[in-house]
Amino acid sequence: MEKEQKNVCVLSKDEVNLLLFDLLKEGKFKTFLQRIKEGYGITAFVLTAMLNYGYGDKIEKVLSLSKCWTSDVFDFLVQFWNDREKAEDFWIQHADKDAVNEKISDEGLVRYQRWDDLLAQKKYELLAEHAPLEFLEKLDFWEKLEASSISERKSFFSALVKQKRFEDVLALDKKWASSDYFNNTEMMRYLLEHDIDKFFNVSLGVSISNKQALISRLGFKKGDDFYQYLYDKGHIEFLIQNTDFLRRHDLWEPYVERKIWGTLAYFKKYDLIDWEDWGKSYPSRALSAAVKAKNWDFLVKQKAHWLLLKHFRLVRFIKSFF
């Protein structure tokens, strides 16, 4: 046996083919099987010879006994079984990784969840469509992706968005190099509807010219249409802090509700100010604004003697002591 095994190692593929072919031709099938068990490699040539000499029904048995075969065996099996999926089933269970990558279709890799192989082949569209979030969250996945170019990372991001995997994109938020990735029309539309804080976080980093372009991409004809949408949805804080939309449209109630008395005073909306409340919170500012508003009665209540005297309100000056 040891001598026979040694002979296998020194024989070339062509010599093995001819030796196995002769055994089949001579009808020595038992010897043929013994050689297969000893490690003689199977090729498409040998399997074709089996068909030609009437051993077609023994092919699957021979495959189960064989320890090695060449890559052309896969192509033979596809035709022999007339079933590529069955051939892939066999191949993915028995062939080494390189042979799998070479022969298995994209559909087969997806079917067998060979996500690493798809990643190695940079099949980002297929990963985005089929790979589970658990795989995408793995560190080694991101190490491999980070080794790619920025454009490829963006391609993967875009592929996830194309598949409408918005929640997964957000779950992977910390994995992206910057928020620039999120400046994608479909993603921004989703954020606008489902994660307004993230939307604001991303949009604030967009330049003014790009911000106008973004508003247009989101489907709003002009900026005020977009701001009206935010107003209707109740996103008042953003409007107050980042736009003049409310002021331009004479919408002062949000300022009253939030007790933003200073802004109301600046725009001379004195009748909307709760002076008593402002006086408790920021007395010096309230007093200064009251002078401009000529709200002398408030100054009397606050006993602002010096301010009343300074502005020659003598009767009120005296009244402020009582």
Side-chain angles (χ1 to χ4, degrees):
M1 176 66 73
E2 291 181 0
K3 182 177 181 180
E4 289 176 337
Q5 187 66 41
K6 185 176 181 181
N7 287 337
V8 174
C9 298
V10 298
L11 293 176
S12 68
K13 184 178 77 171
D14 289 341
E15 290 171 325
V16 170
N17 277 341
L18 289 175
L19 188 151
L20 294 177
F21 176 83
D22 288 341
L23 290 175
L24 292 170
K25 182 179 179 181
E26 295 168 7
K28 298 179 180 179
F29 191 68
K30 288 186 178 179
T31 305
F32 173 86
L33 288 179
Q34 184 60 38
R35 295 295 176 263
I36 296 301
K37 291 178 182 178
E38 292 167 0
Y40 283 70
I42 292 293
T43 64
F45 173 82
V46 172
L47 294 177
T48 301
M50 287 184 66
L51 282 177
N52 292 337
Y53 289 105
Y55 297 106
D57 60 334
K58 302 290 195 285
I59 284 179
E60 293 195 31
K61 178 179 180 180
V62 169
L63 289 172
S64 68
L65 294 174
S66 178
K67 298 176 182 178
C68 61
W69 47 82
T70 54
S71 61
D72 59 3
V73 168
F74 175 83
D75 302 308
F76 173 88
L77 292 177
V78 172
Q79 294 187 14
F80 175 65
W81 284 324
N82 192 28
D83 187 338
R84 184 178 184 89
E85 187 170 324
K86 182 177 179 180
E88 288 183 346
D89 286 344
F90 174 83
W91 203 248
I92 210 160
Q93 293 173 35
H94 297 91
D96 60 38
K97 183 176 181 180
D98 291 337
V100 167
N101 289 342
E102 178 186 350
K103 294 294 185 180
I104 303 302
S105 64
D106 289 345
E107 294 78 8
L109 293 175
V110 169
R111 190 165 62 252
Y112 294 101
Q113 301 182 17
R114 300 293 287 257
W115 312 127
D116 283 316
D117 293 324
L118 288 170
L119 177 60
Q121 296 176 34
K122 299 182 179 180
K123 300 292 179 66
Y124 301 131
E125 292 282 348
L126 288 171
L127 285 171
E129 184 177 358
H130 299 285
L133 178 62
E134 291 75 18
F135 173 79
L136 303 181
E137 288 177 320
K138 290 181 179 179
L139 180 61
D140 58 344
F141 170 81
W142 286 93
E143 287 177 341
K144 292 176 183 176
L145 189 61
E146 285 170 359
S148 306
S149 66
I150 294 177
S151 63
E152 288 176 338
R153 287 170 61 86
K154 287 187 175 180
S155 294
F156 178 63
F157 179 95
S158 298
L160 284 175
V161 172
K162 184 178 179 180
Q163 293 299 323
K164 301 189 182 304
R165 294 181 63 173
F166 305 114
E167 287 297 325
D168 289 346
V169 169
L170 290 175
L172 299 169
D173 190 4
K174 294 181 180 179
K175 305 290 187 179
W176 306 108
S178 77
S179 61
D180 289 344
Y181 287 94
F182 288 83
N183 187 17
N184 169 292
T185 301
E186 291 302 314
M187 192 69 214
M188 293 295 275
R189 284 175 180 162
Y190 178 85
L191 294 177
L192 183 60
E193 288 290 333
H194 299 92
D195 193 335
I196 195 67
D197 290 336
K198 181 68 176 179
F199 176 86
F200 289 148
N201 178 265
V202 176
S203 63
L204 286 174
V206 178
S207 66
I208 294 177
S209 59
N210 287 337
K211 191 169 295 185
Q212 292 301 318
L214 172 61
I215 289 173
S216 177
R217 282 190 284 127
L218 291 173
F220 298 97
K221 292 183 179 180
K222 53 186 179 180
D224 271 8
D225 293 338
F226 171 62
Y227 298 139
Q228 183 66 50
Y229 170 87
L230 295 180
Y231 180 76
D232 293 340
K233 291 290 186 178
H235 303 304
I236 307 301
E237 298 299 335
F238 177 84
L239 294 171
I240 290 175
Q241 296 176 27
N242 299 282
T243 75
D244 63 352
F245 173 79
L246 298 176
R247 301 192 296 271
R248 286 190 292 103
H249 291 271
D250 209 30
L251 298 169
W252 300 104
E253 189 58 30
Y255 291 91
V256 175
E257 291 174 352
R258 289 159 181 76
K259 300 182 178 182
I260 308 176
W261 311 126
T263 299
L264 291 170
Y266 180 82
F267 288 98
K268 299 181 180 180
K269 301 297 177 179
Y270 302 125
D271 57 324
L272 298 177
I273 296 173
D274 184 333
W275 292 97
E276 298 295 332
D277 181 81
W278 198 11
K280 293 176 183 177
S281 305
Y282 300 96
S284 60
R285 296 182 186 177
L287 292 174
S288 177
V291 170
K292 295 180 180 179
K294 298 181 179 181
N295 189 348
W296 311 118
D297 290 337
F298 174 69
L299 294 175
V300 170
K301 291 180 181 179
Q302 295 295 309
K303 299 188 180 302
H305 315 303
W306 168 244
L307 287 174
L308 291 167
L309 181 62
K310 179 180 178 181
H311 291 86
F312 306 105
R313 301 296 157 177
L314 300 179
V315 174
R316 288 185 170 85
F317 168 73
I318 295 171
K319 189 177 179 180
S320 68
F321 286 94
F322 299 96

